[in-house]
Amino acid sequence: MVEYLGDDILAWAALSDIGNKVFVLLIAYMLAMSWFYKSHRLTSRSNTEKIKQLLLSMVKEPINLVIISAILLLSFGVNLESMPIFLSDAILMMKNMMTPLVLLFIGIAVVFKWAQLRMIASLLTFRAGFVFLLSGVFVLLVPMPNEAAILLAVVFPQSAVSFWPFAHMSAVRSMEIGNKDLESNPTFDLELGINVLAISMPFSTLLILGVFTSGSYFTNPHHILLFGGLMLCVSVIPKIFQYIKGTDFGIVAFPDKKLKDSPTD
């Protein structure tokens, strides 16, 4: 955002991300817990207990602890400039290490399987195409002040999938560990989740860079809609051919007809 659109558009993106944060932090967590209770047919807790558990889990998250600490320090007038140099430099170095650490974790934990890789790539392509269509309709109907705002509306929804739902999935798995009945039927497939993260990050990065480096092509809503439609076709057509290839048209067309040929025929 900063490299191609500048700091002002980055601020717009940060404000737009508030709704996403509410969803991944609150709604996604409640959804994960609801699936956990339904999957294992457990008695659901009261809404008060759910809210308390949600608040405790959010406070325990390292990123939220950093945010809370920063708000407290700023409320007392303490910022990076007022801190000792060794402390402010250490904080900046830790900040710069966050993304590499996340990428290292994903790289170490990921286990690729070809069938799963194809499924995830198809799903991400379908998601990207659908979102391009939404962005095209939005740009077509809503007046935009400049080209930078149009590009923001195009690339912002193409962000990689969030790490937070995977954190909620891991929290659910930690609740299942130690109970044989729960471990034998886990609520979430963490291997699939980490693979989705691993593929989504480079996929979205390349897609966003492609939009930014294409000049003013994606400032035209009709171009956005066309590209979104093409991506949907790319993701759906292989599934259609796969369905056609695996369908026995003789049985589908004539379900009541007795086949006289051998089962192989």
Side-chain angles (χ1 to χ4, degrees), residues 47-122:
N47 292 331
T48 303
E49 292 179 348
K50 290 181 179 179
I51 294 174
K52 288 181 179 179
Q53 186 177 5
L54 172 62
L55 294 175
L56 287 175
S57 63
M58 290 180 62
V59 170
K60 293 178 181 179
E61 290 287 347
I63 295 177
N64 290 336
L65 288 175
V66 172
I67 294 174
I68 294 172
S69 301
I71 293 175
L72 291 175
L73 290 173
L74 290 174
S75 64
F76 288 103
V78 179
N79 52 33
L80 285 176
E81 287 74 16
S82 62
M83 290 182 177
I85 295 178
F86 75 92
L87 187 57
S88 60
D89 288 347
I91 293 174
L92 292 176
M93 291 176 65
M94 291 177 62
K95 182 262 296 184
N96 294 331
M97 289 171 56
M98 289 300 297
T99 299
L101 286 176
V102 172
L103 294 177
L104 281 173
F105 167 75
I106 294 175
I108 293 172
V110 69
V111 179
F112 284 125
K113 298 177 181 177
W114 177 241
Q116 195 177 80
L117 180 63
R118 287 189 302 171
M119 183 269 291
I120 295 173
S122 176

Side-chain angles (χ1 to χ4, degrees), residues 130-180:
F130 181 73
V131 172
F132 268 118
L133 292 180
L134 290 180
S135 297
V137 172
F138 182 80
V139 173
L140 192 63
L141 299 180
V142 179
M144 294 291 180
N146 49 47
E147 290 189 356
I150 296 176
L151 289 176
L152 173 64
V154 175
V155 302
F156 179 76
Q158 297 294 341
S159 301
V161 297
S162 175
F163 188 80
W164 282 100
F166 182 78
H168 301 330
M169 292 162 60
S170 300
V172 170
R173 177 59 61 84
S174 65
M175 297 171 62
E176 295 171 341
I177 294 176
N179 188 314
K180 293 182 179 180

Side-chain angles (χ1 to χ4, degrees), residues 16 24-25 47 105 111 125 139 173 201 216 265:
S16 303
V24 297
L25 290 177
N47 292 331
F105 167 75
V111 179
T125 303
V139 173
R173 177 59 61 84
M201 298 183 78
S216 59
D265 295 334

